[in-house]
Each structure stands twice: as C-alpha cells, then as structure tokens.
C-alpha cells in the first residue's frame, strides 16, 4: 500500500468499518479497501479527480470517495456516506441510534439500537427481539450468550429530549457511549 492517501473509520449498526484509499497520481491507480478487503481497483486512470462509489457493511450502505484537486499536484479526499459528508452522517446517526459497549464472559460486545426501526444489532448481527409494553414504556428483549438483555424506552417527560433508551443486562444498566 505505497499509495495510501486516506483512512476513515465509519461506525455503522453492524460495526465500525475501516475504509482505506490508495491513489497513485503517477500511475493513475485507485484502490478502495473496506475492512482490509479490496472493493475497487482501477489502473491507468488518466483523470486524477472524480469519485469512487461502493457499499459498506451488512446493510450495503452507499459510500463515495470524492477526489478533488486542491492546487498543482495536491489532492483532497472526502468520504460521503449515504450522500452526506462523514461528519454530517455521524451527527445525524447519533440522533437515530444508541450504542453501548459491554464486556461479558471475557468478550466485548457492541450493541446498537436503531431508534427509527427499533432494530437491535450486536457485533454485526441483527438480533431476534421481542417487544413488550410495560407500565412506564416499552422493553425490547434479546439475549447475548446466556445473558438476558433488554432495552427500556421511557418518556423523558421533556419534548426536546424525547424518549430515553437504556440497556439492561442481567438487571444491571449499561452506560451508553457516544460515537
């Protein structure tokens, strides 16, 4: 990877994906790797600016690398996810998902709740869940190994805050992480 010019880490529901981009400005080579696997390889591209579009993760999320000339032989590389800059995508994603990281039985687990669909992901796999109405809200039940888990959704009582989601594992609340 002698022509590696950019690396991004993209947090999606199924995990954090590493995107690497090689751009050979003398050879015209463009190579995109997702999680170390080659997704696109183009040789002898005489046009040094442009875009490369590919998909990332289990949901085949659309990603585009934009290649722009800055000055002379300097280039700028920007990543878009679903048509938004990576920064904007991550900002909007933080409003539509909750993420927790927990350590059980010597293993790390990353649990993601997609608030719009109520899908629950754990280490890259969508979980089988069972929803239940309770006195103060809802509970979405699932298992991680031999551990009983549920995500509790309760109203904050404040319109701006909306619904508060908490992950409970073996009757213990897990703190949320901000990605």
């Amino acid at each position: 990877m002698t022509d590696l010019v950019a690396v991004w880490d993209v947090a999606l529901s199924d995990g954090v994906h590493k995107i690497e981009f090689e751009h050979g400005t003398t050879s015209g080579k463009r190579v995109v790797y997702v999680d170390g696997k080659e997704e696109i390889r183009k040789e002898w591209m005489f046009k040094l600016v442009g875009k490369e579009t590919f998909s990332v993760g289990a949901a085949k999320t659309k990603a585009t690398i934009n290649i722009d000339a800055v000055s002379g032989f300097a280039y700028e590389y920007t990543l878009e996810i679903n048509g938004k800059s990576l920064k904007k995508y991550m900002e909007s994603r933080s409003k539509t998902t909750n993420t927790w990281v927990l350590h059980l039985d010597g293993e790390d687990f990353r649990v993601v709740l997609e608030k719009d669909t109520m899908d629950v992901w754990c280490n890259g796999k969508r979980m089988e869940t069972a929803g239940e109405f309770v006195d103060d809200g809802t509970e979405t039940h699932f298992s991680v190994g031999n551990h009983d888990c549920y995500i509790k959704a309760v109203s904050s009582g404040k319109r701006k805050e909306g619904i508060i989601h908490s992950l409970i594992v073996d009757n213990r609340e897990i703190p949320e992480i901000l990605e």
Side-chain angles (χ1 to χ4, degrees):
M1 280 206 221
T2 54
D3 294 319
L4 185 68
V5 292
V7 178
W8 297 273
D9 289 318
V10 180
L12 301 176
S13 295
D14 66 333
V16 179
H17 299 278
K18 178 179 236 133
I19 297 171
E20 297 167 289
F21 183 55
E22 286 183 34
H23 188 213
T25 54
T26 52
S27 64
K29 176 178 76 171
R30 294 183 191 177
V31 187
V32 175
Y33 298 92
V34 177
D35 299 326
K37 184 177 162 283
E38 191 178 290
E39 290 292 319
I40 296 174
R41 176 176 286 272
K42 294 181 179 171
E43 304 281 353
W44 309 109
M45 298 277 299
F46 293 107
K47 189 171 182 217
L48 293 174
V49 295
K51 330 177 149 218
E52 294 299 336
T53 300
F54 53 98
S55 59
V56 180
K60 300 276 182 234
T61 303
K62 182 181 161 200
T64 302
I65 295 173
N66 296 302
I67 308 153
D68 297 300
V70 184
S71 66
F73 289 100
Y75 297 90
E76 181 180 76
Y77 308 95
T78 53
L79 179 67
E80 290 179 356
I81 304 291
N82 280 343
K84 295 179 180 161
S85 73
L86 181 59
K87 184 176 188 280
K88 286 253 186 284
Y89 176 79
M90 296 315 286
E91 284 169 1
S92 72
R93 192 174 155 66
S94 71
K95 294 178 184 128
T96 60
T97 61
N98 290 79
T99 303
W100 298 269
V101 172
L102 54 144
H103 193 75
L104 296 172
D105 306 326
E107 217 180 317
D108 286 325
F109 294 93
R110 181 175 177 270
V111 176
V112 177
L113 168 69
E114 292 182 352
K115 293 190 252 190
D116 50 354
T117 60
M118 292 305 286
D119 284 342
V120 176
W121 293 75
C122 181
N123 286 6
K125 294 183 179 61
R126 187 173 331 165
M127 303 300 288
E128 289 288 321
T129 61
E132 177 185 346
F133 288 100
V134 293
D135 286 343
D136 54 353
T138 63
E139 292 178 357
T140 303
H141 292 261
F142 59 100
S143 295
V144 173
N146 306 339
H147 299 272
D148 292 325
C149 309
Y150 65 92
I151 295 174
K152 187 168 186 69
V154 295
S155 171
S156 65
K158 300 183 186 106
R159 235 178 101 207
K160 278 195 166 151
E161 282 179 37
I163 296 172
I164 296 171
H165 296 88
S166 308
L167 174 63
I168 314 294
V169 177
D170 298 332
N171 295 317
R172 188 172 56 95
E173 186 169 340
I174 306 298
E176 184 183 353
I177 64 162
L178 300 172
E179 289 189 309

